[in-house]
Amino acid sequence: MLRNQLFLSFRPIIFSILFLLAPLCLFGQNLNFSGRVTDKSTGQALKDIHIFVPNSTFQTFSDSLGRFTIPNMPAGRWEIALIGEDYEEIQQVIELKKTQVSNFGFSLLPTKTKAPPVLKLTEKKREKLVEDFTSNFLSTSKYQNQIRLLNPEGLVFLKRIIQKS
């Protein structure tokens, strides 16, 4: 009888301790996904590369040494995507294991396409090109009186301009 009363009096304390320790056990099952991102052609570290798991909240950016870490990822197979300015996007499936240190290496290829060259135009030539642009693209719209180019200097003109036939 005394034993049952003693158990009943300590029951809230026991359940509180179990309640506080349970998240620690669950937290211990998550892993840190970390690694390094480099340029495939030069081997140099790449900074500001976006590393993420599509359709999830797991994401980070590489630092100035190309290193990154995504903390608290559960063990298992994950599709990882890497995107960086001037580099080709890659997607790769990785496997995080509890028994393995997750230090991955990724190498990105520079993109082959470059931005078109901007022409150095006189003001008169630029006005003529903007006028041609508006007459060719906006004159057929039923909203032509409502459409205005707010930033015409932002238009990029290629060196080879196609003549009207």
Side-chain angles (χ1 to χ4, degrees):
M1 211 30 111
L2 182 61
R3 186 185 228 179
N4 286 342
Q5 288 177 341
L6 190 60
F7 176 74
L8 289 175
S9 64
F10 284 112
R11 190 168 62 178
I13 295 171
I14 293 169
F15 283 122
S16 297
I17 291 171
L18 289 175
F19 181 73
L20 292 173
L21 291 178
L24 293 176
C25 295
L26 294 175
F27 181 75
Q29 294 178 358
N30 290 341
L31 305 167
N32 288 340
F33 166 55
S34 60
R36 189 165 185 253
V37 184
T38 57
D39 184 307
K40 194 169 195 164
S41 58
T42 65
Q44 291 182 325
L46 297 178
K47 68 176 185 171
D48 297 329
I49 301 297
H50 189 198
I51 301 104
F52 63 98
V53 176
N55 303 316
S56 79
T57 58
F58 294 119
Q59 64 176 329
T60 191
F61 287 87
S62 60
D63 65 11
S64 62
L65 300 174
R67 294 182 302 207
F68 67 89
T69 299
I70 301 177
N72 299 323
M73 285 183 65
R77 292 176 62 88
W78 294 94
E79 181 181 341
I80 304 297
L82 288 87
I83 297 176
E85 188 176 339
D86 298 329
Y87 286 91
E88 292 182 1
E89 174 184 344
I90 64 168
Q91 290 190 350
Q92 186 173 335
V93 175
I94 61 152
E95 185 152 355
L96 292 177
K97 297 178 183 177
K98 294 177 190 175
T99 58
Q100 177 184 5
V101 176
S102 63
N103 195 9
F104 292 86
F106 297 97
S107 295
L108 301 181
L109 284 170
T111 54
K112 292 179 174 80
T113 58
K114 299 289 182 189
V118 178
L119 287 178
K120 306 279 187 206
L121 300 173
T122 63
E123 191 61 36
K124 193 171 190 176
K125 181 69 174 172
R126 185 173 294 279
E127 286 175 11
K128 173 69 172 129
L129 289 171
V130 169
E131 183 182 311
D132 289 346
F133 174 80
T134 53
S135 67
N136 288 328
F137 291 101
L138 302 180
S139 64
T140 58
S141 172
K142 66 180 181 178
Y143 302 106
Q144 73 182 48
N145 295 333
Q146 299 171 0
I147 297 173
R148 299 284 180 259
L149 288 176
L150 298 177
N151 191 10
E153 61 275 358
L155 292 175
V156 176
F157 298 103
L158 299 177
K159 288 186 178 179
R160 198 178 85 194
I161 299 172
I162 300 172
Q163 299 291 327
K164 291 184 196 178
S165 7

